[in-house]
Amino acid sequence: MTRSFEPDATDRAILRLIQKDAALSLADIAKDVGLTPTPCWKRIRKMEQEGVITGRVVLLDPEKVGLGVSVFVAIETGDHSAPWIEAFATTVAKMPEIVECWRLGGDVDYLLRVVVSDMQAFDSFYRRLTAQVPSLRKVTSRFAMERVKSTTALPI
Amino acid sequence: MTRSFEPDATDRAILRLIQKDAALSLADIAKDVGLTPTPCWKRIRKMEQEGVITGRVVLLDPEKVGLGVSVFVAIETGDHSAPWIEAFATTVAKMPEIVECWRLGGDVDYLLRVVVSDMQAFDSFYRRLTAQVPSLRKVTSRFAMERVKSTTALPI
DNA sequence: CTTGCAACAGAAAGATTTTCCTTCTACACG
DNA sequence: CGTGTAGAAGGAAAATCTTTCTGTTGCAAG
């Protein structure tokens, strides 16, 4: 796969900054990377158009909004057919408690991170999940005790 | 734990919006939640000051910046002392490839997500990790085949 | 009532976006 | 060689739009 976009050192400097704080003004970003606001803005817009930048979002403190419980759910399926995989992806997309879902190689087929308010809410989620998804061979839930680190900033 | 902040329906509507797109103008947000820009802005500022909103960031496409490989590393430690835990957290904080690190309850002590460019980069990371962290009893790496879902938006 | 909170309209301050211009480099051609 | 041209990248300044702040009003609870 040849990458269509090759960020130079300046692009990367910009990305490193706004990956951490997208509220910085163009003037500040520009000063930091040694440009004036205009070319800086042009680079950012280009990266948005090319899909390098996929969005701007605010992050919330899960505790503060009463969603302090993260649970990792490892799933082994008994059905590896394309229709099952597709149906599973659709179900996952529809459940907002699932904030991450990865298909893995190896013993575990899927790993989910589920965000809920408490154990009871997780139980409710768990029942809905297992009721909706057929052919689950093994489901292992592990509760997070502490969020040691969690960042959206890629090591660019 | 009593929560100091109780968002009302309007606060939550605002959060749902800007969790998905923080580039929306106040005018747009206000129209959507049925307010004028000023009270809307005051609510957002309040939530920022109270720490409900922890930051504004841009999200990147990992593939487009050449970091398309995510690996989950499950760690079981042989040392559960406070100093070990602290030292481990410090090491994790210093390694930018580790984008998530959770301390779990149960058989697995820690679960990491590591973002790298390719298998070779992961091997390099793996060597550095195991060289720096003592008393690792078991380390299991699972490669992500597909990112089925990944969102920063909490189900508020 | 009246007190306090939340909303509003409108103005000021500040940021973004556009337009236009300059510079630099690479490359083709006389 | 020297010159002309195209394309990429930067910059200054103006226009436009947003955010932020002011003062004021309305409404609900006490």
Side-chain angles (χ1 to χ4, degrees), chain A residues 28-87:
Chain A
D28 289 341
I29 301 166
K31 191 146 59 79
D32 236 281
V33 303
L35 285 177
T36 49
T38 308
C40 200
W41 175 77
K42 283 179 184 168
R43 281 166 181 266
I44 292 172
R45 189 190 52 172
K46 184 159 168 256
M47 293 192 281
E48 276 168 348
Q49 286 169 346
E50 273 169 337
V52 176
I53 293 173
T54 57
R56 294 167 179 262
V57 300
V58 307
L59 303 177
L60 308 186
D61 182 332
E63 308 276 351
K64 291 254 170 70
V65 295
L67 292 167
V69 177
S70 270
V71 188
F72 287 88
V73 181
I75 291 176
E76 295 172 41
T77 174
D79 184 346
H80 293 85
S81 69
W84 188 93
I85 289 177
E86 206 181 313

Side-chain angles (χ1 to χ4, degrees), chain A residues 72-77 80 102-112 137-140 142, chain B residues 72 74 108 140-145:
Chain A
F72 287 88
V73 181
I75 291 176
E76 295 172 41
T77 174
H80 293 85
W102 299 82
R103 189 160 59 78
L104 304 182
D107 52 345
V108 174
D109 293 305
Y110 288 92
L111 182 63
L112 320 183
R137 188 145 52 94
K138 190 173 171 194
V139 180
T140 308
R142 294 182 179 90
Chain B
F72 287 88
V108 174
T140 309
S141 302
R142 295 182 178 90
F143 282 72
M145 299 289 113

Side-chain angles (χ1 to χ4, degrees), chain A residues 5 7 11-12 14-20 47-48 51-57 152-156, chain B residues 57-67 147 150:
Chain A
F5 173 74
D11 287 325
R12 296 151 81 88
I14 293 172
L15 290 178
R16 272 194 298 274
L17 278 175
I18 61 180
Q19 265 197 124
K20 296 249 157 87
M47 293 192 281
E48 276 168 348
V52 176
I53 293 173
T54 57
R56 294 167 179 262
V57 300
T152 54
L154 302 180
I156 198 173
Chain B
V57 299
V58 307
L59 304 177
L60 308 186
D61 182 331
E63 308 276 351
K64 291 254 170 70
V65 295
L67 292 167
R147 180 170 56 155
S150 173

Side-chain angles (χ1 to χ4, degrees), chain B residues 14-34:
Chain B
I14 293 172
L15 290 177
R16 272 194 297 274
L17 278 175
I18 62 181
Q19 266 197 125
K20 298 248 156 88
D21 185 1
L24 289 169
S25 75
L26 277 172
D28 288 342
I29 300 166
K31 190 146 59 79
D32 236 279
V33 304

